[in-house]
Amino acid sequence: MTINETPESNRDPITGAPGAHPVGTGVGATGGAVAGGLIGAPFGPIGMLVGGAIGAAAGGAAGHAVAERIDPTTEAAYWREQYTTRPYYKSDYDYETDYAPAYAYGSSSRARLHNGQWDDSVEAELREGWEKSKAKSRLAWEDAKAAVRDAWDRDDRTYRAYDRADSYYATQYSTAAGGTDRDTTFDYETDYRPAYRYGTYARSAYADRQWDDSLESDLERGWDRARGASRMNWNQARGTVKDAWHNFERALPGDFDRDGR
């Protein structure tokens, strides 16, 4: 996905195919933990984190040098499919006009507020800002609040999952998958972290696939879009992506049915 694409493109962040469904699979409440505690708490579907020129909103773990936020294209597609299933949905309102601004507001607000804690002061701030952010939405704050919080919570799970993954892999990356040494011309923050994230995301996005030549081909095509500032080409990143893929896979329960619940 390029920064200038419209939400209507709905491009798959890995293959780049237009009209793709958003990430719909994550580890549920029985999800276990990667590598003895990498991701110890339940989290919802993992969205792709994008960085740099996406805008001024800085999300993810505080202290990271590159501003980043959840990919708005996949999130818009996700909520477009899901909003009618949410308990706050009212048939008097539609997605594009009414609910989409609320979801976007929740997502952008979570990206802006690094600690991710929804409390009375945050709610008061968001209530005050809703009238300026709602565009043509007909939702009053009391009707919009649940949708705003829904998007906030979904993004918060993604940020925290990546934060845990980043912390874990930062201590592990000095030894490559298979026991070979890492290339010292690359560093963790710039080069390896995007590859670990890509593997983590890919395993969530493609829960019904196995690591094989076909999957590798898809991941290779998507690497240039996912790599950000990483200096590694696909051949250099492949082992790291695969390592993260299998670490995430080991977190899945044995009877995980891949239905996203």
Side-chain angles (χ1 to χ4, degrees), residues 18-40:
H21 291 293
V23 180
T25 304
V27 176
T30 60
V34 174
L38 166 57
I39 303 173

Side-chain angles (χ1 to χ4, degrees), residues 2 20 25 50 55 63 80 109 121 146 154 162 177 181 214 230 251 256:
T2 63
T25 304
V50 294
R80 187 179 291 108
S109 297
S121 64
R154 174 176 158 86
Y162 275 121
D181 291 337
S214 175
S230 179
F256 186 62

Side-chain angles (χ1 to χ4, degrees), residues 48-193:
M48 178 69 83
L49 291 184
V50 294
I54 192 67
H64 288 167
V66 179
E68 58 192 11
R69 61 168 295 184
I70 307 295
D71 178 3
T73 300
T74 55
E75 291 308 290
Y78 173 83
W79 290 118
R80 187 179 291 108
E81 288 191 349
Q82 296 295 321
Y83 81 105
T84 58
T85 69
R86 310 308 293 159
Y88 49 79
Y89 166 69
K90 295 180 180 179
S91 59
D92 294 339
Y93 303 113
D94 63 40
Y95 176 77
E96 295 295 343
T97 301
D98 303 304
Y99 286 104
Y103 292 128
Y105 186 51
S107 183
S108 64
S109 297
R110 173 57 187 89
R112 179 171 54 85
L113 299 171
H114 291 182
N115 65 17
Q117 297 298 316
W118 181 289
D119 55 24
D120 290 344
S121 64
V122 166
E123 185 172 326
E125 178 184 335
L126 298 186
R127 176 195 296 268
E128 183 178 347
W130 172 238
E131 289 302 318
K132 295 179 180 179
S133 302
K134 65 188 296 184
K136 296 181 180 179
S137 177
R138 295 168 291 176
L139 297 176
W141 171 249
E142 290 305 315
D143 291 319
K145 179 174 70 174
V148 173
R149 179 69 185 270
D150 217 4
W152 170 292
D153 286 344
R154 174 176 158 86
D155 284 15
D156 186 58
R157 289 190 293 270
T158 295
Y159 284 128
R160 293 184 185 280
Y162 275 121
D163 189 28
R164 293 187 185 103
D166 289 349
S167 297
Y168 172 76
Y169 285 123
T171 66
Q172 300 294 319
Y173 84 104
S174 59
T175 301
T180 57
D181 291 337
R182 292 292 188 193
D183 187 335
T184 57
T185 61
F186 301 127
D187 62 44
Y188 173 73
E189 284 291 327
T190 302
D191 304 304
Y192 284 105
R193 189 176 65 144

